[in-house]
Amino acid sequence: MPQTADAASRLGTESIGKLLLKFSIPAITGMLVNALYNLVDRIFIGQAVNEIALGGISLVLPLMTIGMAFAMLFGIGAANMISMRLGQGKKQDAENALDHCFFLLIGTGIVTMIIGLIFLDPILSLMGAAEGSEALSYARDYFRITLFGYVFFMVSFGLSHCTRAQGFPGVTMISMILGAVLNIVFDAVFILWFKWGVEGAAWATVIATFSSTVYLLRFILSKKAVVRLNFRILKPDLSIIVQILAFGSAQFLLQFLMSAVQLLINTSMGWYGEAALGVANGGDIALSGMNIAGAILMLILMPIFGINQGSQPILGYNYGAKMYRRVLRAYLGAIAAATAICVIGFAVVQLFSVQLVRGFAPNGSEAIMDFAPRAMRIMMLLLPVAGFQIVSTNMFVVTGRPKISIFLSMLRQCIALIPCIFIFGKIWGLWGVIAATPVADGFAFIITAILISFELKKLRS
């Protein structure tokens, strides 16, 4: 049997534990490395520029999250199609999904760049900064440059899911490691040596994502790939696009709603920051503190996303091949690993929150050191249940129930969290906004547990 065929067929033959390790460890490594893109930028900016510049990066985050949402819509949608069609023995359909994914990523990246550059100031003015915010100027300098690399960001993040889906998680991992290492190197050069500040961080990100894109394209055009990009598509097939959108819609909505929540939180920091922290620039300080807390949370959750993505080809292939016992074992193994990571992350945050904040703001003001550690501990009170929520949401996509997956994606990010932010913010101000996160986590966990219990009964029978 050809080596490329073995790469896909082993998803239905090797032991589940071995497959989870083989696919999840590279995915976890890749996602952790991916987290370094923003994490390293924030550390360098916080230490070499100032804490207000961190608030400027917070204003850009909703826009970057929207871009990631579209990359996940096309990338994860195509990846689900690829793994399932390979499990069904339909390689041509898998290739068609990859071709369409590539053109969708390119087109969306170009359109986003053009719109962003033309309407840069009006867009940033809607991102939640208080009137007269110093952080807004930092946001403008950073986002203007990153827009030039938006196509590379879209293609590298989207295609990484497709290489993993066809049995090559190591390729995805290497592409992310390459980008992260270059990002760190150029951050040091541009920020510390050239003194370019937030603009240096932006250029470092553009160069890093371009390098990852080149590496992925080189592989996916080669004979080593099971499903190759061949540029045959001249006319889009609407039925394939619809399938990609259906398979990727749950993760897209999750990311898109994360952007809406980030925008609402940014706005709330401006509304309540000055009164709660007792300083004139309290809104900017609160923005910076939430940026730090968000970076730590993402660092913890990225391995969970890695487990989720690493298990996806295993779940998709075996479900397509009707090997449901293997699907169940893979799901339970992913839940166990994700929960263990969340519990460890929870313990670190509760015990070392001050030290974590100091890593971003070694000369931080008294206001940010009073706010950020406490906010971080409150936000992550129910972090131990996050792994279960993330993996279970993806399970409904694999079993062909995207509507339930969409509902669960919306539950925490929209149905529960947004009303909690409004209500608790009105009652308790800034700290009410912070407390909304664990309340929404608890509600989403209960609903997810009820729904997934019915799905597991069907798999067992």
Side-chain angles (χ1 to χ4, degrees), residues 194-210:
F194 290 172
K195 307 295 183 184
W196 287 358
V198 294
E199 293 180 333
W203 280 118
T205 299
V206 170
I207 294 171
T209 53
F210 171 77

Side-chain angles (χ1 to χ4, degrees), residues 40 47 69 71 87 111 120 150 187 221 267 342 367 389 393 398 404 450:
V40 170
Q47 296 197 2
V111 170
L120 179 63
Y150 222 75
D187 265 335
L221 289 166
T267 304
C342 285
Q389 168 80 10
T393 298
V398 172
I404 296 178
I450 293 172

Side-chain angles (χ1 to χ4, degrees), residues 283-367:
D284 286 346
I285 294 293
L287 274 173
S288 298
M290 290 300 288
N291 194 342
I292 294 171
I296 298 299
L297 179 60
M298 277 295 101
L299 187 63
I300 297 170
L301 291 183
M302 280 298 176
I304 312 305
F305 296 141
I307 291 171
N308 201 30
Q309 293 177 11
S311 64
Q312 183 276 327
I314 306 168
L315 293 167
Y317 185 99
N318 286 282
Y319 193 82
K322 298 184 178 181
M323 292 186 282
Y324 300 126
R325 290 185 179 180
R326 289 176 61 82
V327 173
L328 181 61
R329 289 201 297 271
Y331 166 74
L332 295 177
I335 288 289
T339 301
I341 292 173
C342 285
V343 169
I344 293 171
F346 169 80
V348 171
V349 166
Q350 298 302 319
L351 293 174
F352 304 107
S353 58
V354 173
Q355 291 85 345
L356 291 171
V357 173
R358 286 291 185 197
F360 292 83
N363 301 312
S365 64
E366 182 179 349

